[in-house]
Amino acid sequence: MNTSLQQPERTSEKKSERTTLDGSHMLLESLRRESVEVVFGYPGGAMLNVYDALYDGGISHILSRHEQGSIHAAEGYARVTGKPGVVLATSGPGATNLVTGLADAMMDSLPLVVFTAQVATTVIGSDAFQEASVVGITMPITKHNYQVRDVEQLPRTIKEAFHIATHGRPGPVLIDLPKDISAAEGKFDYDKPVQLRGYQPTTVPHRLQIRKLSNAIRQAQRPVILAGAGVLHAKASEELLQFAEFYGIPVVNTLLGLGAFPGGHSLWLGMGGMHGTYAANTALYEADLLINIGARFDDRLTGNLEHFAPQATVAHVDIDPSEIGKNVPTQIPIVGDAKESLSMLMEESVQIGDISVWRTKLQNLQEAYPFWYVEDGTGLKPQRVVELVHDISNGNGVVVTDVGQHQMWAAQFHPFRDPHKWVTSGGLGTMGFGLPAAVGAQIGLPNEPVFALLGDGGFQMTMQELSVLVDHNLPVKVVILNNAALGMVRQWQQLFYKERYSHSLIPKQPDFSKLAEAYGIPAFVVDSEEDAAAALQQSMKIGGPVLIDCRIAPMENVYPMIAPGKGLHEMVGVKP
């Protein structure tokens, strides 16, 4: 893999020694001070000063083929590394093309620092060429945003942006940079500490609240842990494992929390929610103590709130106090970092009652009602393809998905053992996310196998990013589960709209293998399990990217599921 650019000799070190820099060199020097190694972006007129400074080298740049590709790649990078992803885009349409990615990162709590160029300060508000009020547009979908009007404020602004993006609940921060500010010179000072009186996240929870939860654990007969992505953001997987094992409490993961607790562990019940396991949803429904650690009670997890955990005392551990009690009434609120909270809970080490009957019941349900599919001779089963991807990497690969049926099959049939190996768009549900996010994941983890499991619909939204795989020889294995349809839409039309398939079937698909070959990427077309297995084996012997077009059974549905408006206890399709 090659992520380095062939550029002239680096001159930026000389510039960094000066006390006076122009705005563009201030930006790059600030990124170096933040240990940024790679940025994702797309140049344009108002951003040319920054790209000219970038030409001096020192920081790798990944050129996407659309700004949406840049920001989803930065999300994939942030998701697998925990480091902030950095994005550059020009003004107007360049900036507005980032909007979906900003909303996606906001929903999934991913740390990004995004720089958008702006027209010169002298013409802001005049409808100048490629002007858009990106600060106004992005205010509701960023953790914070800035527009810089004084070049000497730029270093402080960048330092604050990295602080806000990575402290407390992670999220995207945008800096809008007018072109004349990027050219203006001023004093560079990056040494002042960040002091934000209005932003002091609580990381250490209150001891009394920890003791309340400990007492609740001591008295519980049917406790369950719900582990969300907050565990991953806090790097608290080891603490969660110790906590669950110490008390013997079963664990349910959210979709984004997969990998926070080792899949296959005897206490693991799998994913909860709309397409979760019967055991997980039974645990959430029948629990008398629900310990939510770093999950936001998304509606696809809870189902009908009237029937969600109706008998449970709810404890919610979250670094963002605004999440606690937002969707589900909470009796034990704990504001704090998941790692700190779990460590303090372990210090209490109360004596728990005998919950073996509860644990055994759930384990029996887990064994009796696993995820299933029927080999009925109707074609290549998508679930089997997911299993083959798991097997080919021995469960050690990074799996990146788009959104739709394939996303749910990947979540169901790939038991994630380790943290940060699962990259998906959970909150916003963004089609077109998968391929560029796989680019970022492979940049972030260059020595690990990365599989982009995509649907044919989402792939066609950002398939131009295949070029980036070729540019940098990224060994991403692109596996398209091709059912010639917008599968999840079609499934809902089948089940809830009397099979009226309004604009969800796409029978005349392009030949994805020829498309890949046009980019110089080896490709396979498979329609049987044997051919899919052989293609995956062959792909692993190829050092660069590979595309495998899997022609799957077109009418395959995702089961089990909870229909809209139903509760967790009303799953359908639990058994074939």
Side-chain angles (χ1 to χ4, degrees):
M1 185 185 72
N2 174 25
T3 60
S4 302
L5 297 177
Q6 299 300 316
Q7 302 286 21
E9 184 180 356
R10 174 180 172 179
T11 58
S12 55
E13 290 183 355
K14 291 181 180 178
K15 290 182 180 180
S16 68
E17 295 169 359
R18 300 185 309 201
T19 56
T20 299
L21 296 175
D22 63 43
S24 298
H25 286 90
M26 284 185 182
L27 189 159
L28 295 180
E29 184 59 28
S30 300
L31 296 184
R32 293 187 191 100
R33 301 289 181 96
E34 296 292 341
S35 301
V36 173
E37 298 173 338
V38 59
V39 299
F40 302 88
Y42 199 99
M47 192 54 108
L48 281 179
N49 292 325
V50 174
Y51 271 84
D52 187 65
L54 191 63
Y55 195 71
D56 290 340
I59 294 178
S60 293
H61 178 272
I62 305 299
L63 175 66
S64 66
R65 297 303 188 265
H66 188 285
E67 288 87 354
Q68 188 176 355
S70 296
I71 195 163
H72 290 328
E75 288 184 275
Y77 176 86
R79 183 73 174 175
V80 300
T81 65
K83 302 175 184 176
V86 178
V87 180
L88 304 179
T90 195
S91 64
T96 58
N97 282 340
L98 300 176
V99 167
T100 299
L102 287 168
D104 195 276
M106 188 71 177
M107 290 280 279
D108 287 355
S109 306
L110 295 174
L112 302 183
V113 177
V114 176
F115 295 89
T116 51
Q118 183 55 273
V119 299
T121 54
T122 52
V123 293
I124 288 177
S126 69
D127 289 339
F129 177 67
Q130 292 193 332
E131 181 188 4
S133 176
V134 67
V135 169
I137 291 169
T138 63
M139 190 172 291
I141 54 170
T142 53
K143 193 173 175 184
H144 196 62
N145 64 16
Y146 300 86
Q147 186 176 76
V148 182
R149 292 296 190 108
D150 178 344
V151 69
E152 294 197 350
Q153 294 298 313
L154 181 58
R156 178 187 61 80
T157 303
I158 295 173
K159 196 165 187 175
E160 285 183 6
F162 275 90
H163 180 86
I164 293 170
T166 57
H167 285 71
R169 180 177 180 173
V173 179
L174 182 141
I175 299 174
D176 198 34
L177 183 63
K179 186 172 183 179
D180 55 328
I181 300 298
S182 68
E185 291 196 342
K187 184 179 179 181
F188 178 80
D189 182 0
Y190 210 74
D191 295 330
K192 292 181 180 176
V194 174
Q195 292 182 333
L196 298 171
R197 291 183 180 177
Y199 186 69
Q200 301 291 335
T202 300
T203 57
V204 180
H206 199 289
R207 176 65 72 179
L208 288 179
Q209 293 303 98
I210 291 290
R211 286 181 179 157
K212 281 186 180 178
L213 177 52
S214 296
N215 287 333
I217 292 171
R218 180 168 53 81
Q219 298 170 11
Q221 297 179 324
R222 301 186 305 280
V224 64
I225 297 167
L226 175 65
V231 175
L232 296 166
H233 296 315
K235 296 182 170 53
S237 296
E238 185 60 35
E239 287 78 5
L240 174 62
L241 178 62
Q242 292 174 7
F243 175 71
E245 289 185 335
F246 181 82
Y247 290 109
I249 301 176
V251 178
V252 173
N253 279 130
T254 65
L255 173 68
L256 286 175
L258 290 171
F261 192 81
H265 191 284
S266 61
L267 292 172
W268 187 63
L269 301 177
M271 180 177 69
M274 179 177 285
H275 294 294
T277 67
Y278 184 65
N281 285 336
T282 299
L284 293 173
Y285 182 71
E286 296 186 1
D288 66 353
L289 174 62
L290 171 56
I291 306 170
N292 175 355
I293 305 173
R296 58 186 177 82
F297 286 132
D298 172 76
D299 60 314
R300 290 187 76 173
L301 171 86
T302 63
N304 187 332
L305 282 170
E306 185 180 347
H307 303 297
F308 180 71
Q311 306 166 59
T313 296
V314 176
H316 190 165
V317 178
D318 206 301
I319 199 165
D320 183 351
S322 69
E323 285 295 339
I324 298 176
K326 185 176 78 176
N327 296 328
V328 173
T330 300
Q331 288 74 48
I332 306 176
I334 298 178
V335 179
D337 172 85
K339 195 180 190 77
E340 291 279 357
S341 301
L342 285 163
S343 297
M344 290 174 69
L345 282 166
M346 287 297 294
E347 290 170 8
E348 296 294 320
S349 65
V350 296
Q351 183 69 41
I352 191 171
D354 182 5
I355 63 169
S356 60
V357 173
W358 167 245
R359 195 165 47 236
T360 300
K361 173 184 177 177
L362 297 175
Q363 289 169 342
N364 289 340
L365 290 177
Q366 181 80 327
E367 293 176 9
Y369 302 105
F371 291 126
W372 58 270
Y373 60 95
V374 177
E375 291 285 8
D376 55 6
T378 59
L380 176 59
K381 293 293 181 175
Q383 302 93 335
R384 183 60 187 144
V385 176
V386 175
E387 291 174 337
L388 290 171
V389 167
H390 173 271
D391 294 345
I392 200 75
S393 65
N394 196 27
N396 293 320
V398 176
V399 174
V400 186
T401 75
D402 230 278
V403 171
Q405 285 183 311
H406 71 281
Q407 177 191 34
M408 292 300 122
W409 287 319
Q412 290 179 335
F413 289 89
H414 192 296
F416 294 90
R417 293 194 306 254
D418 302 310
H420 308 296
K421 297 293 183 72
W422 169 237
V423 181
T424 196
S425 171
L428 196 63
T430 304
M431 290 179 67
F433 171 89
L435 180 58
V439 169
Q442 188 73 83
I443 296 288
L445 298 176
N447 298 318
E448 301 208 18
V450 173
F451 298 90
L453 269 174
L454 311 175
D456 49 290
F459 172 64
Q460 292 183 82
M461 287 189 172
T462 51
M463 60 188 180
Q464 75 282 350
E465 303 303 320
L466 288 174
S467 248
V468 186
L469 299 182
V470 177
D471 277 356
H472 301 282
N473 196 31
L474 300 175
V476 173
K477 311 311 175 193
V478 180
V479 181
I480 301 174
L481 298 182
N482 183 356
N483 56 8
L486 305 178
M488 194 62 88
V489 176
R490 184 207 55 73
Q491 177 172 337
W492 279 50
Q493 289 173 334
Q494 178 186 359
L495 299 177
F496 309 120
Y497 291 86
K498 301 178 181 177
E499 301 186 49
R500 289 159 57 89
Y501 300 119
S502 180
H503 304 283
S504 61
L505 307 180
I506 314 174
K508 294 182 179 179
Q509 294 280 33
D511 187 329
F512 296 136
S513 67
K514 290 182 178 176
L515 177 74
E517 289 167 1
Y519 282 101
I521 296 175
F524 302 85
V525 180
V526 299
D527 60 6
S528 70
E529 178 182 334
E530 294 74 19
D531 288 348
L536 280 166
Q537 289 282 358
Q538 186 64 25
S539 74
M540 300 303 286
K541 299 175 183 176
I542 297 173
V546 177
L547 185 146
I548 304 174
D549 182 3
C550 301
R551 308 288 174 86
I552 62 170
M555 297 300 287
E556 191 72 12
N557 285 340
V558 182
Y559 285 119
M561 75 172 294
I562 299 168
K566 300 294 184 181
L568 296 183
H569 61 303
E570 299 173 286
M571 299 191 79
V572 297
V574 174
K575 294 180 70 174

